[in-house]
Amino acid sequence: MNITSKKSRLSGSVVVPGSKSHTIRALILATIAEGTSHIKNPLPSADCLSTAAAVPLIGSMVDLNLSTEGEPGTSWTVCGAGSQVHLPDDVINVGNSGSLLYFLAPIAATFDGDTVFTGDDSIRKRPVQHVIDSINQLSDKKSFVTVPGKNGCPMVIRGPIHSGTVKT
């Protein structure tokens, strides 16, 4: 068998399927950034839509570029809060998104005041002690994080935390 290889060029474009974890992270990072961010091909899953509803509570503006049928578009726009990120205006409902809870709780802990997190029945059974322990290590307050039930949500985060080292 003879195989011949020739130098050639490859060109074109590929649309990568949306990723839940990438979309959630992009929304949070765009929220704490200055300026406008465009998220191309986001995954419009329930967790991502929970994040899109939550991040405006700390200062960003999110445009899902809804179609005439009300479906989220293939490019979302986030006007970041940047240095204007603030204590949430309301209770944060994470729905069933553990990622949103795990990423936003430490951000909320940097503000002076209380932040309440809630979610659906499933998120109330998720482990959050690792988040609570990490936040508590950076607080001077004895009851820095309270968990009203046996499990995570609803929970109250009381800030602000200080810089330091967290041991896991």
Side-chain angles (χ1 to χ4, degrees):
M1 172 190 292
N2 293 328
I3 298 175
T4 304
S5 175
K6 295 181 182 179
K7 182 179 175 182
S8 62
R9 293 184 185 254
L10 180 64
S11 66
S13 63
V14 175
V15 176
V16 178
S19 161
K20 180 174 77 168
S21 61
H22 291 163
T23 301
I24 291 169
R25 286 167 174 81
L27 285 164
I28 292 171
L29 291 171
T31 290
I32 62 176
E34 297 284 349
T36 302
S37 299
H38 301 280
I39 302 171
K40 303 289 185 188
N41 200 29
L43 182 68
S45 70
D47 287 0
C48 297
L49 295 173
S50 291
T51 305
V55 293
L57 298 175
I58 64 170
S60 69
M61 293 187 308
V62 178
D63 181 357
L64 302 179
N65 296 309
L66 299 177
S67 69
T68 54
E69 294 82 28
E71 295 296 319
T74 58
S75 178
W76 297 356
T77 304
V78 180
C79 294
S83 62
Q84 301 302 310
V85 171
H86 55 75
L87 189 70
D89 297 321
D90 202 348
V91 172
I92 295 178
N93 186 339
V94 300
N96 188 30
S97 179
S99 294
L100 174 56
L101 177 62
Y102 299 155
F103 294 145
L104 208 51
I107 292 171
T110 65
F111 304 115
D112 188 12
D114 294 350
T115 301
V116 179
F117 288 89
T118 192
D120 68 10
D121 289 339
S122 177
I123 202 75
R124 292 169 188 244
K125 297 174 184 142
R126 296 264 186 98
V128 296
Q129 196 61 48
H130 63 290
V131 176
I132 293 168
D133 291 344
S134 297
I135 292 171
N136 276 333
Q137 289 180 49
L138 300 175
S139 173
D140 295 328
K141 300 172 185 171
K142 290 186 180 182
S143 59
F144 181 72
V145 178
T146 60
V147 181
K150 285 198 230 175
N151 297 303
C153 283
M155 70 178 185
V156 178
I157 305 277
R158 178 164 295 134
I161 57 175
H162 55 75
S163 63
T165 301
V166 174
K167 296 177 184 171
T168 58

